[in-house]
Tab-separated table of all heavy atoms in Angstrom:
chain	number	residue	atom	x	y	z
A	1	MET	N	-2.455	155.590	97.358
A	1	MET	CA	-1.942	155.776	95.985
A	1	MET	C	-1.458	154.545	95.479
A	1	MET	O	-0.848	153.664	96.032
A	1	MET	CB	-0.675	156.775	96.072
A	1	MET	CG	0.182	156.806	94.893
A	1	MET	SD	1.713	157.786	95.166
A	1	MET	CE	1.321	159.054	94.061
A	2	PRO	N	-2.059	153.979	94.318
A	2	PRO	CA	-1.581	152.715	93.734
A	2	PRO	C	-0.253	152.700	93.281
A	2	PRO	O	0.363	153.611	92.752
A	2	PRO	CB	-2.740	152.641	92.471
A	2	PRO	CG	-3.210	154.048	92.213
A	2	PRO	CD	-2.981	154.727	93.523
A	3	VAL	N	0.305	151.405	93.427
A	3	VAL	CA	1.601	151.149	93.035
A	3	VAL	C	1.768	150.693	91.581
A	3	VAL	O	1.008	149.771	91.340
A	3	VAL	CB	2.295	150.212	94.004
A	3	VAL	CG1	3.688	149.905	93.616
A	3	VAL	CG2	2.315	150.856	95.404
A	4	LYS	N	2.552	151.276	90.930
A	4	LYS	CA	2.637	150.781	89.424
A	4	LYS	C	3.544	149.475	89.417
A	4	LYS	O	4.301	149.204	90.462
A	4	LYS	CB	3.432	151.856	88.582
A	4	LYS	CG	2.673	153.067	88.344
A	4	LYS	CD	3.519	154.041	87.615
A	4	LYS	CE	2.818	155.461	87.548
A	4	LYS	NZ	3.638	156.461	86.823
A	5	GLU	N	3.456	148.693	88.484
A	5	GLU	CA	4.214	147.356	88.455
A	5	GLU	C	5.649	147.554	88.523
A	5	GLU	O	6.408	146.798	89.066
A	5	GLU	CB	3.875	146.524	87.191
A	5	GLU	CG	2.318	146.135	87.269
A	5	GLU	CD	2.103	145.302	86.011
A	5	GLU	OE1	2.859	144.709	85.425
A	5	GLU	OE2	0.920	145.163	85.557
A	6	ASP	N	6.230	148.547	87.849
A	6	ASP	CA	7.640	148.759	87.880
A	6	ASP	C	8.095	149.746	88.844
A	6	ASP	O	9.370	150.150	88.866
A	6	ASP	CB	8.095	149.231	86.335
A	6	ASP	CG	7.413	150.578	86.105
A	6	ASP	OD1	6.415	150.907	86.640
A	6	ASP	OD2	8.053	151.230	85.252
A	7	GLN	N	7.402	149.959	89.967
A	7	GLN	CA	7.701	151.013	90.994
A	7	GLN	C	7.774	150.298	92.309
A	7	GLN	O	6.899	149.492	92.641
A	7	GLN	CB	6.694	152.057	90.886
A	7	GLN	CG	6.972	153.242	91.810
A	7	GLN	CD	6.013	154.340	91.815
A	7	GLN	OE1	4.922	154.127	91.339
A	7	GLN	NE2	6.345	155.576	92.124
A	8	ALA	N	8.711	150.654	93.117
A	8	ALA	CA	8.910	149.959	94.516
A	8	ALA	C	7.899	150.712	95.285
A	8	ALA	O	7.468	151.773	95.058
A	8	ALA	CB	10.358	150.221	94.933
A	9	GLN	N	7.469	150.068	96.408
A	9	GLN	CA	6.561	150.614	97.351
A	9	GLN	C	6.986	151.887	97.952
A	9	GLN	O	6.308	152.744	98.357
A	9	GLN	CB	6.085	149.559	98.295
A	9	GLN	CG	5.190	148.476	97.723
A	9	GLN	CD	4.756	147.514	98.744
A	9	GLN	OE1	5.205	147.597	99.920
A	9	GLN	NE2	3.906	146.675	98.364
A	10	TYR	N	8.351	151.878	98.323
A	10	TYR	CA	8.878	153.061	99.010
A	10	TYR	C	8.916	154.307	98.143
A	10	TYR	O	8.780	155.420	98.524
A	10	TYR	CB	10.304	152.809	99.627
A	10	TYR	CG	10.237	151.918	100.763
A	10	TYR	CD1	10.830	150.645	100.817
A	10	TYR	CD2	9.618	152.371	101.965
A	10	TYR	CE1	10.717	149.828	101.884
A	10	TYR	CE2	9.503	151.537	103.127
A	10	TYR	CZ	10.145	150.273	103.021
A	10	TYR	OH	10.059	149.409	104.146
A	11	GLN	N	9.005	154.092	96.770
A	11	GLN	CA	9.033	155.158	95.893
A	11	GLN	C	7.525	155.761	95.761
A	11	GLN	O	7.341	156.945	95.555
A	11	GLN	CB	9.502	154.815	94.507
A	11	GLN	CG	10.918	154.526	94.346
A	11	GLN	CD	11.320	153.898	93.180
A	11	GLN	OE1	10.430	153.443	92.334
A	11	GLN	NE2	12.639	153.997	92.748
A	12	ALA	N	6.649	154.938	95.931
A	12	ALA	CA	5.225	155.308	95.936
A	12	ALA	C	4.686	155.928	97.177
A	12	ALA	O	3.640	156.653	97.077
A	12	ALA	CB	4.303	154.247	95.455
A	13	ALA	N	5.421	155.642	98.240
A	13	ALA	CA	4.831	156.169	99.500
A	13	ALA	C	5.025	157.617	99.720
A	13	ALA	O	6.124	158.215	99.194
A	13	ALA	CB	5.631	155.296	100.753
A	14	GLY	N	4.180	158.347	100.380
A	14	GLY	CA	4.232	159.731	100.585
A	14	GLY	C	4.928	160.061	101.826
A	14	GLY	O	5.495	159.065	102.525
A	15	ALA	N	5.121	161.313	102.169
A	15	ALA	CA	5.875	161.771	103.378
A	15	ALA	C	5.218	161.227	104.627
A	15	ALA	O	5.882	160.844	105.547
A	15	ALA	CB	5.913	163.305	103.414
A	16	ASP	N	3.858	161.277	104.718
A	16	ASP	CA	3.261	160.816	105.922
A	16	ASP	C	3.478	159.282	106.080
A	16	ASP	O	3.706	158.868	107.286
A	16	ASP	CB	1.753	161.027	105.706
A	16	ASP	CG	1.310	162.393	105.853
A	16	ASP	OD1	2.214	163.304	106.358
A	16	ASP	OD2	0.129	162.912	105.511
A	17	GLU	N	3.414	158.506	105.088
A	17	GLU	CA	3.626	156.996	105.117
A	17	GLU	C	4.989	156.646	105.592
A	17	GLU	O	5.224	155.834	106.535
A	17	GLU	CB	3.229	156.250	103.941
A	17	GLU	CG	1.922	156.256	103.563
A	17	GLU	CD	1.336	157.349	102.768
A	17	GLU	OE1	2.159	158.247	102.440
A	17	GLU	OE2	0.239	157.542	102.455
A	18	LEU	N	5.997	157.428	105.053
A	18	LEU	CA	7.371	157.177	105.454
A	18	LEU	C	7.594	157.683	106.930
A	18	LEU	O	8.325	157.037	107.675
A	18	LEU	CB	8.343	157.977	104.466
A	18	LEU	CG	8.380	157.302	103.148
A	18	LEU	CD1	9.245	158.239	102.310
A	18	LEU	CD2	8.782	156.012	103.104
A	19	PHE	N	6.912	158.732	107.339
A	19	PHE	CA	7.114	159.249	108.664
A	19	PHE	C	6.487	158.148	109.718
A	19	PHE	O	7.066	157.891	110.712
A	19	PHE	CB	6.415	160.534	108.853
A	19	PHE	CG	6.445	161.064	110.206
A	19	PHE	CD1	7.656	161.633	110.671
A	19	PHE	CD2	5.423	161.074	111.118
A	19	PHE	CE1	7.814	162.148	111.966
A	19	PHE	CE2	5.491	161.713	112.322
A	19	PHE	CZ	6.683	162.194	112.828
A	20	LEU	N	5.287	157.613	109.394
A	20	LEU	CA	4.726	156.520	110.136
A	20	LEU	C	5.545	155.408	110.205
A	20	LEU	O	5.574	154.738	111.307
A	20	LEU	CB	3.173	156.219	109.671
A	20	LEU	CG	2.166	157.343	110.029
A	20	LEU	CD1	0.878	157.010	109.421
A	20	LEU	CD2	2.014	157.331	111.487
A	21	THR	N	6.132	155.079	109.122
A	21	THR	CA	6.945	153.688	109.133
A	21	THR	C	8.188	154.013	110.007
A	21	THR	O	8.691	153.091	110.703
A	21	THR	CB	7.476	153.433	107.631
A	21	THR	OG1	6.212	153.301	106.745
A	21	THR	CG2	8.375	152.290	107.681
A	22	SER	N	8.784	155.218	109.890
A	22	SER	CA	9.911	155.432	110.795
A	22	SER	C	9.528	155.476	112.323
A	22	SER	O	10.278	154.917	113.073
A	22	SER	CB	10.560	156.849	110.439
A	22	SER	OG	10.949	156.805	109.092
A	23	GLY	N	8.445	156.131	112.633
A	23	GLY	CA	7.969	156.058	113.986
A	23	GLY	C	7.749	154.691	114.401
A	23	GLY	O	7.914	154.364	115.627
A	24	SER	N	7.143	153.848	113.673
A	24	SER	CA	6.970	152.375	114.130
A	24	SER	C	8.192	151.665	114.288
A	24	SER	O	8.152	150.849	115.226
A	24	SER	CB	5.954	151.712	113.070
A	24	SER	OG	6.588	151.484	111.839
A	25	LEU	N	9.112	151.904	113.395
A	25	LEU	CA	10.446	151.357	113.661
A	25	LEU	C	11.119	151.881	115.031
A	25	LEU	O	11.585	150.953	115.756
A	25	LEU	CB	11.452	151.690	112.517
A	25	LEU	CG	11.057	150.879	111.197
A	25	LEU	CD1	11.996	151.498	110.027
A	25	LEU	CD2	11.244	149.489	111.378
A	26	VAL	N	11.025	153.150	115.382
A	26	VAL	CA	11.453	153.544	116.571
A	26	VAL	C	10.762	152.851	117.709
A	26	VAL	O	11.303	152.480	118.704
A	26	VAL	CB	11.433	155.038	116.660
A	26	VAL	CG1	11.653	155.531	117.977
A	26	VAL	CG2	12.347	155.708	115.710
A	27	MET	N	9.444	152.809	117.541
A	27	MET	CA	8.478	152.268	118.653
A	27	MET	C	8.815	150.804	118.855
A	27	MET	O	8.605	150.201	119.914
A	27	MET	CB	7.003	152.589	118.354
A	27	MET	CG	6.819	154.134	118.598
A	27	MET	SD	5.079	154.521	118.179
A	27	MET	CE	4.264	153.646	119.663
A	28	THR	N	9.134	150.085	117.825
A	28	THR	CA	9.459	148.711	117.918
A	28	THR	C	10.894	148.546	118.529
A	28	THR	O	11.024	147.552	119.336
A	28	THR	CB	9.539	147.985	116.497
A	28	THR	OG1	8.347	148.203	116.009
A	28	THR	CG2	9.870	146.678	116.713
A	29	SER	N	11.867	149.375	118.332
A	29	SER	CA	13.202	149.235	118.836
A	29	SER	C	13.142	149.519	120.422
A	29	SER	O	14.162	149.019	121.120
A	29	SER	CB	14.103	150.160	118.218
A	29	SER	OG	13.833	151.558	118.377
A	30	ILE	N	12.226	150.375	120.938
A	30	ILE	CA	12.120	150.696	122.383
A	30	ILE	C	11.983	149.450	123.296
A	30	ILE	O	12.659	149.265	124.158
A	30	ILE	CB	11.148	151.809	122.633
A	30	ILE	CG1	11.534	153.203	122.004
A	30	ILE	CG2	10.844	151.987	124.079
A	30	ILE	CD1	10.601	154.164	122.053
A	31	PRO	N	10.954	148.645	122.942
A	31	PRO	CA	10.814	147.279	123.744
A	31	PRO	C	12.013	146.321	123.640
A	31	PRO	O	12.320	145.667	124.596
A	31	PRO	CB	9.572	146.759	123.312
A	31	PRO	CG	8.797	147.752	122.646
A	31	PRO	CD	9.859	148.777	122.122
A	32	LEU	N	12.599	146.391	122.428
A	32	LEU	CA	13.768	145.660	122.226
A	32	LEU	C	14.877	145.979	123.043
A	32	LEU	O	15.685	145.285	123.629
A	32	LEU	CB	14.241	145.550	120.733
A	32	LEU	CG	13.266	144.755	119.820
A	32	LEU	CD1	13.656	145.020	118.361
A	32	LEU	CD2	13.122	143.408	120.175
A	33	ALA	N	15.049	147.436	123.182
A	33	ALA	CA	16.090	147.891	123.991
A	33	ALA	C	15.866	147.651	125.514
A	33	ALA	O	16.750	147.490	126.308
A	33	ALA	CB	16.253	149.467	123.764
A	34	SER	N	14.620	147.647	125.872
A	34	SER	CA	14.234	147.374	127.316
A	34	SER	C	14.484	145.883	127.689
A	34	SER	O	14.653	145.591	128.845
A	34	SER	CB	12.665	147.742	127.551
A	34	SER	OG	11.848	146.700	126.995
A	35	LEU	N	14.705	145.020	126.732
A	35	LEU	CA	15.119	143.671	127.014
A	35	LEU	C	16.489	143.544	127.507
A	35	LEU	O	16.970	142.701	128.150
A	35	LEU	CB	14.780	142.698	125.832
A	35	LEU	CG	13.404	142.440	125.468
A	35	LEU	CD1	13.304	141.707	124.114
A	35	LEU	CD2	12.724	141.826	126.508
A	36	LEU	N	17.346	144.520	127.005
A	36	LEU	CA	18.705	144.666	127.323
A	36	LEU	C	18.992	145.315	128.603
A	36	LEU	O	19.932	145.016	129.412
A	36	LEU	CB	19.416	145.258	126.160
A	36	LEU	CG	19.490	144.590	124.794
A	36	LEU	CD1	20.020	145.467	123.825
A	36	LEU	CD2	20.046	143.204	124.810
A	37	VAL	N	18.240	146.333	128.919
A	37	VAL	CA	18.418	147.256	130.112
A	37	VAL	C	17.241	146.955	130.994
A	37	VAL	O	16.157	147.201	130.543
A	37	VAL	CB	18.619	148.662	129.700
A	37	VAL	CG1	18.656	149.438	130.996
A	37	VAL	CG2	19.630	148.811	128.746
A	38	ARG	N	17.492	146.494	132.231
A	38	ARG	CA	16.454	146.312	133.290
A	38	ARG	C	16.469	147.331	134.325
A	38	ARG	O	17.485	147.585	134.798
A	38	ARG	CB	16.509	144.971	133.806
A	38	ARG	CG	15.354	144.437	134.495
A	38	ARG	CD	14.113	144.613	133.525
A	38	ARG	NE	13.094	143.794	133.718
A	38	ARG	CZ	11.851	144.074	133.361
A	38	ARG	NH1	11.657	145.239	132.620
A	38	ARG	NH2	10.865	143.345	133.403
A	39	GLN	N	15.407	148.010	134.511
A	39	GLN	CA	15.280	149.040	135.400
A	39	GLN	C	14.568	148.611	136.703
A	39	GLN	O	13.517	147.946	136.545
A	39	GLN	CB	14.480	150.268	134.858
A	39	GLN	CG	14.915	151.641	135.226
A	39	GLN	CD	14.221	152.659	134.517
A	39	GLN	OE1	13.348	152.333	133.568
A	39	GLN	NE2	14.411	153.883	134.909
A	40	ARG	N	15.025	148.959	137.895
A	40	ARG	CA	14.337	148.493	139.087
A	40	ARG	C	13.239	149.479	139.530
A	40	ARG	O	12.239	148.959	139.908
A	40	ARG	CB	15.403	148.344	140.274
A	40	ARG	CG	16.423	147.277	140.063
A	40	ARG	CD	17.249	147.069	141.316
A	40	ARG	NE	18.403	146.111	140.992
A	40	ARG	CZ	18.153	144.835	141.536
A	40	ARG	NH1	17.281	144.537	142.254
A	40	ARG	NH2	19.204	144.080	141.319
A	41	ARG	N	13.451	150.690	139.318
A	41	ARG	CA	12.450	151.661	139.631
A	41	ARG	C	12.268	152.571	138.412
A	41	ARG	O	13.251	152.917	137.736
A	41	ARG	CB	12.763	152.458	140.797
A	41	ARG	CG	12.707	151.691	142.261
A	41	ARG	CD	12.753	152.568	143.227
A	41	ARG	NE	12.369	151.839	144.425
A	41	ARG	CZ	11.271	152.110	145.199
A	41	ARG	NH1	10.448	153.071	144.705
A	41	ARG	NH2	11.047	151.382	146.124
A	42	GLY	N	11.116	153.059	138.228
A	42	GLY	CA	10.806	153.990	137.048
A	42	GLY	C	10.066	155.194	137.543
A	42	GLY	O	9.767	155.392	138.746
A	43	TRP	N	9.652	155.960	136.547
A	43	TRP	CA	8.879	157.150	136.791
A	43	TRP	C	7.480	156.728	136.842
A	43	TRP	O	6.918	156.353	135.813
A	43	TRP	CB	9.145	158.166	135.816
A	43	TRP	CG	10.636	158.393	135.594
A	43	TRP	CD1	11.465	159.057	136.336
A	43	TRP	CD2	11.444	158.053	134.533
A	43	TRP	NE1	12.617	159.198	135.924
A	43	TRP	CE2	12.742	158.478	134.718
A	43	TRP	CE3	11.175	157.177	133.402
A	43	TRP	CZ2	13.797	158.204	133.808
A	43	TRP	CZ3	12.198	156.984	132.435
A	43	TRP	CH2	13.464	157.428	132.859
A	44	GLY	N	6.654	156.984	137.994
A	44	GLY	CA	5.284	156.655	138.039
A	44	GLY	C	5.029	155.308	137.692
A	44	GLY	O	4.000	154.964	137.164
A	45	ARG	N	5.887	154.375	138.289
A	45	ARG	CA	5.667	152.974	138.059
A	45	ARG	C	5.771	152.517	136.696
A	45	ARG	O	5.336	151.444	136.367
A	45	ARG	CB	4.358	152.471	138.798
A	45	ARG	CG	4.331	152.788	140.271
A	45	ARG	CD	3.178	152.154	140.916
A	45	ARG	NE	3.281	150.675	140.718
A	45	ARG	CZ	2.887	149.776	141.633
A	45	ARG	NH1	2.459	150.236	142.808
A	45	ARG	NH2	2.967	148.571	141.489
A	46	LEU	N	6.342	153.245	135.892
A	46	LEU	CA	6.551	152.995	134.512
A	46	LEU	C	8.201	152.999	134.260
A	46	LEU	O	8.846	153.806	134.874
A	46	LEU	CB	6.113	154.054	133.548
A	46	LEU	CG	4.504	153.982	133.255
A	46	LEU	CD1	4.077	155.218	132.402
A	46	LEU	CD2	4.085	152.881	132.615
A	47	GLY	N	8.673	152.089	133.383
A	47	GLY	CA	9.943	152.049	133.112
A	47	GLY	C	10.307	153.103	132.036
A	47	GLY	O	9.463	153.731	131.684
A	48	PHE	N	11.561	153.083	131.706
A	48	PHE	CA	11.907	154.000	130.548
A	48	PHE	C	11.271	153.754	129.276
A	48	PHE	O	10.919	154.623	128.462
A	48	PHE	CB	13.434	154.198	130.387
A	48	PHE	CG	13.934	153.008	129.714
A	48	PHE	CD1	14.256	153.066	128.340
A	48	PHE	CD2	14.380	151.808	130.325
A	48	PHE	CE1	14.749	152.196	127.647
A	48	PHE	CE2	14.937	150.708	129.660
A	48	PHE	CZ	15.049	150.819	128.261
A	49	ASP	N	11.079	152.506	128.986
A	49	ASP	CA	10.317	152.074	127.750
A	49	ASP	C	8.937	152.550	127.764
A	49	ASP	O	8.568	152.941	126.691
A	49	ASP	CB	10.372	150.501	127.583
A	49	ASP	CG	9.856	149.764	128.729
A	49	ASP	OD1	9.839	150.267	129.960
A	49	ASP	OD2	9.585	148.555	128.506
A	50	GLY	N	8.218	152.508	128.866
A	50	GLY	CA	6.961	152.934	128.846
A	50	GLY	C	6.828	154.514	128.653
A	50	GLY	O	5.868	154.922	127.852
A	51	VAL	N	7.703	155.140	129.196
A	51	VAL	CA	7.677	156.617	129.046
A	51	VAL	C	8.033	156.937	127.643
A	51	VAL	O	7.482	157.774	126.991
A	51	VAL	CB	8.679	157.218	130.144
A	51	VAL	CG1	8.795	158.720	129.898
A	51	VAL	CG2	8.209	157.027	131.451
A	52	LEU	N	9.033	156.289	127.098
A	52	LEU	CA	9.469	156.624	125.755
A	52	LEU	C	8.420	156.270	124.704
A	52	LEU	O	8.147	156.936	123.831
A	52	LEU	CB	10.672	155.891	125.356
A	52	LEU	CG	12.115	156.502	125.883
A	52	LEU	CD1	13.345	155.585	125.533
A	52	LEU	CD2	12.240	158.022	125.243
A	53	LEU	N	7.911	155.083	124.932
A	53	LEU	CA	6.623	154.769	123.882
A	53	LEU	C	5.593	155.806	123.944
A	53	LEU	O	5.062	156.179	122.941
A	53	LEU	CB	6.132	153.368	124.279
A	53	LEU	CG	6.988	152.173	123.792
A	53	LEU	CD1	6.364	150.944	124.365
A	53	LEU	CD2	7.000	152.205	122.328
A	54	ILE	N	5.148	156.223	125.139
A	54	ILE	CA	4.006	157.241	125.261
A	54	ILE	C	4.612	158.508	124.561
A	54	ILE	O	3.822	159.096	123.819
A	54	ILE	CB	3.606	157.391	126.723
A	54	ILE	CG1	2.955	156.182	127.244
A	54	ILE	CG2	2.739	158.685	126.855
A	54	ILE	CD1	2.743	156.143	128.695
A	55	THR	N	5.829	158.928	124.893
A	55	THR	CA	6.329	160.157	124.298
A	55	THR	C	6.385	160.047	122.697
A	55	THR	O	6.037	160.983	122.079
A	55	THR	CB	7.763	160.434	124.852
A	55	THR	OG1	7.633	160.515	126.286
A	55	THR	CG2	8.289	161.836	124.257
A	56	VAL	N	6.931	158.980	122.136
A	56	VAL	CA	7.056	158.887	120.709
A	56	VAL	C	5.853	158.814	120.086
A	56	VAL	O	5.490	159.430	119.062
A	56	VAL	CB	7.875	157.573	120.354
A	56	VAL	CG1	7.874	157.316	118.947
A	56	VAL	CG2	9.407	157.731	120.879
A	57	TYR	N	4.762	158.075	120.614
A	57	TYR	CA	3.496	158.150	120.123
A	57	TYR	C	2.813	159.434	120.146
A	57	TYR	O	2.174	159.872	119.191
A	57	TYR	CB	2.602	157.165	121.035
A	57	TYR	CG	1.199	156.923	120.513
A	57	TYR	CD1	0.940	156.265	119.300
A	57	TYR	CD2	0.212	157.730	121.011
A	57	TYR	CE1	-0.399	156.241	118.810
A	57	TYR	CE2	-1.110	157.558	120.636
A	57	TYR	CZ	-1.424	156.813	119.434
A	57	TYR	OH	-2.614	156.671	119.008
A	58	ALA	N	2.940	160.222	121.220
A	58	ALA	CA	2.417	161.568	121.331
A	58	ALA	C	2.929	162.480	120.321
A	58	ALA	O	2.331	163.197	119.652
A	58	ALA	CB	2.591	162.043	122.607
A	59	VAL	N	4.307	162.394	120.205
A	59	VAL	CA	4.964	163.239	119.132
A	59	VAL	C	4.623	162.963	117.812
A	59	VAL	O	4.406	163.817	116.972
A	59	VAL	CB	6.498	163.193	119.434
A	59	VAL	CG1	7.333	163.911	118.316
A	59	VAL	CG2	6.940	163.816	120.686
A	60	THR	N	4.415	161.611	117.469
A	60	THR	CA	4.102	161.218	116.141
A	60	THR	C	2.691	161.694	115.849
A	60	THR	O	2.407	162.252	114.744
A	60	THR	CB	4.163	159.674	116.049
A	60	THR	OG1	5.479	159.226	116.263
A	60	THR	CG2	3.775	159.260	114.617
A	61	VAL	N	1.670	161.582	116.708
A	61	VAL	CA	0.497	161.904	116.429
A	61	VAL	C	0.229	163.468	116.296
A	61	VAL	O	-0.449	163.984	115.520
A	61	VAL	CB	-0.591	161.422	117.595
A	61	VAL	CG1	-1.913	162.027	117.455
A	61	VAL	CG2	-0.693	159.987	117.450
A	62	ALA	N	1.033	164.230	117.210
A	62	ALA	CA	1.055	165.656	117.121
A	62	ALA	C	1.654	166.134	115.914
A	62	ALA	O	1.152	167.064	115.138
A	62	ALA	CB	1.747	166.130	118.266
A	63	ALA	N	2.669	165.430	115.471
A	63	ALA	CA	3.321	165.872	114.051
A	63	ALA	C	2.422	165.579	112.897
A	63	ALA	O	2.428	166.394	111.947
A	63	ALA	CB	4.684	165.159	114.052
A	64	LEU	N	1.715	164.534	112.940
A	64	LEU	CA	0.819	164.272	111.842
A	64	LEU	C	-0.507	165.126	111.834
A	64	LEU	O	-1.046	165.334	110.779
A	64	LEU	CB	0.275	162.872	111.964
A	64	LEU	CG	1.343	161.832	111.453
A	64	LEU	CD1	0.713	160.468	111.614
A	64	LEU	CD2	1.700	162.106	110.003
A	65	ALA	N	-0.775	165.677	113.129
A	65	ALA	CA	-1.977	166.587	113.091
A	65	ALA	C	-1.793	168.006	112.621
A	65	ALA	O	-2.592	168.575	112.226
A	65	ALA	CB	-2.368	166.619	114.612
A	66	VAL	N	-0.476	168.446	112.566
A	66	VAL	CA	-0.142	169.738	112.084
A	66	VAL	C	-0.043	169.706	110.696
A	66	VAL	O	-0.032	169.080	109.897
A	66	VAL	CB	1.278	170.013	112.691
A	66	VAL	CG1	1.862	171.414	112.152
A	66	VAL	CG2	1.232	170.164	114.146
């Protein structure tokens, strides 16, 4: 959708774009949180950040597919 000159980009964004933006912000904050919390052992040799990233990604893709 083209943006008009007097319109902000967030006003022109649809629901899917805003959902993807929110998902990417959550996915960016997960590795930042893992810098603060260090885990010695994780699930399946993955830390909580890896599990959360895979989960958030899968939920985001599934929500967009519906």
Side-chain angles (χ1 to χ4, degrees):
M1 169 181 248
V3 179
K4 298 177 187 174
E5 289 182 24
D6 60 341
Q7 189 178 22
Q9 288 183 351
Y10 287 116
Q11 292 174 340
D16 289 343
E17 289 88 2
L18 292 176
F19 181 72
L20 283 174
T21 302
S22 300
S24 65
L25 288 172
V26 170
M27 290 178 72
T28 301
S29 66
I30 292 171
L32 292 175
S34 72
L35 292 174
L36 299 174
V37 178
R38 196 51 156 159
Q39 211 175 357
R40 291 188 186 253
R41 291 196 166 241
W43 309 285
R45 298 185 63 138
L46 287 174
F48 77 93
D49 55 339
V51 173
L52 278 177
L53 281 173
I54 292 169
T55 304
V56 169
Y57 181 78
V59 168
T60 303
V61 170
L64 286 176
V66 172

